[in-house]
Amino acid sequence: MEKVVTLQHIYGKKRDRMAELLKSLVENELKDLEVKVEVSITPENWAEFTLEGEDEEVSANLLKSRYGSPAKKAEPGKVYLGFLQAFTEDAFIANIGIPVRIEAEELKALGSGKPKQLASRFGLVPHLPVEVEVFEANKKIKASFTKKQFDLWWGWKKASTDRVIINAATRSEIKSAVKKTGHGRDIYEIERLGLLEHAVVCREKTDGPGIVAAIGPRLKSEMGVVIGDSR
């Protein structure tokens, strides 16, 4: 038996439902391996997977490499997987296992504006997966996002289409909401960003805020919109 605590945070009001969704998603990812999967929630609200079977060790390594494990401390020079936790007036808060502040001066790569304005401009919502680079960790942890992370967000912003960023929903739930509201022809695809975090890629003439207005009431999610600059 192997146990793996991942960086996937269990959040929202329907925690048991989310745990079941995560179990189904991971079972699908490990379907070619001989392993039985169970999921539980740690006191810190991380998803913990119990793996049992012939391929339990391989499965554990796969989950660790794909989703990361919560860090117990931040070390200078290391890159960590984490997720966006909150946006304040002067910083982004990311969680790598412990909360890490990305100060406003480290967000200049996203352009001018306060952190909350930048988050809105790039469609960022809590729980999106991120890469964080720690460059000092003495009395006060100093960190930034990696170039890869900044490049991803700028790729959204410079695109010829809008994107709707959604958390706390499976791809099938989003697809159902899009279909039921008659917007199936208005989107290209649903990109997976994390286990329960996605980006709906709109077509060139589709308005991202309009998609949010349509599908928002059908999903218990937080949503952000990236307006493509090349539209």
Side-chain angles (χ1 to χ4, degrees):
M1 180 185 295
E2 293 271 350
K3 289 194 173 185
V4 179
V5 177
T6 67
L7 264 170
Q8 179 62 49
H9 210 232
I10 302 295
Y11 58 95
K13 294 181 179 180
K14 298 181 179 179
R15 289 157 47 86
D16 292 340
R17 169 183 166 276
M18 179 175 276
E20 284 301 313
L21 287 173
L22 288 174
K23 180 181 177 181
S24 297
L25 289 168
V26 169
E27 282 178 335
N28 186 59
E29 291 189 343
L30 303 178
K31 63 184 179 183
D32 295 329
L33 298 174
E34 292 294 327
V35 65
K36 181 181 178 182
V37 179
E38 295 295 337
V39 64
S40 57
I41 306 170
T42 71
E44 298 78 24
N45 295 318
W46 302 114
E48 180 178 51
F49 295 96
T50 301
L51 307 165
E52 191 168 3
E54 185 178 332
D55 294 323
E56 61 188 39
E57 186 174 348
V58 173
S59 301
N61 291 334
L62 182 63
L63 291 180
K64 288 175 186 176
S65 64
R66 185 165 297 177
Y67 302 113
S69 301
K72 295 182 179 179
K73 66 176 183 177
E75 297 182 27
K78 289 193 67 174
V79 172
Y80 294 88
L81 294 176
F83 65 90
L84 293 176
Q85 183 171 310
F87 312 102
T88 70
E89 289 300 321
D90 56 0
F92 281 14
I93 309 299
N95 195 316
I96 62 173
I98 56 174
V100 175
R101 287 173 61 86
I102 316 295
E103 303 289 348
E105 64 184 58
E106 301 303 329
L107 298 172
K108 290 180 180 178
L110 295 178
S112 61
K114 293 185 177 181
K116 283 188 176 181
Q117 293 172 318
L118 295 174
S120 178
R121 188 180 307 154
F122 285 85
L124 305 180
V125 295
H127 303 290
L128 287 185
V130 290
E131 279 191 354
V132 175
E133 184 173 7
V134 174
F135 57 87
E136 187 176 323
N138 295 322
K139 293 182 179 179
K140 184 177 180 181
I141 298 171
K142 292 186 178 181
S144 182
F145 295 111
T146 62
K147 181 180 183 300
K148 177 182 175 183
Q149 190 64 63
F150 283 129
D151 286 349
L152 173 67
W153 291 338
W154 271 115
W156 294 350
K157 192 74 181 104
K158 293 178 179 179
S160 59
T161 64
D162 291 357
R163 270 178 172 76
V164 176
I165 312 301
I166 303 172
N167 67 16
T170 64
R171 187 177 185 278
S172 61
E173 288 176 321
I174 297 170
K175 189 175 181 180
S176 175
V178 168
K179 185 177 180 180
K180 288 179 179 178
T181 55
H183 288 285
R185 295 182 180 179
D186 296 325
I187 71 167
Y188 276 125
E189 62 177 327
I190 299 170
E191 292 179 344
R192 179 172 161 185
L193 305 176
L195 280 175
L196 293 171
E197 298 79 34
H198 299 79
V200 174
V201 183
C202 302
R203 291 189 178 275
E204 279 78 0
K205 295 183 179 181
T206 300
D207 180 59
I211 295 294
V212 171
I215 69 174
R218 294 178 177 271
L219 296 170
K220 305 296 184 181
S221 305
E222 293 170 281
M223 298 186 186
V225 179
V226 193
I227 305 298
D229 285 345
S230 299
R231 282 183 60 181

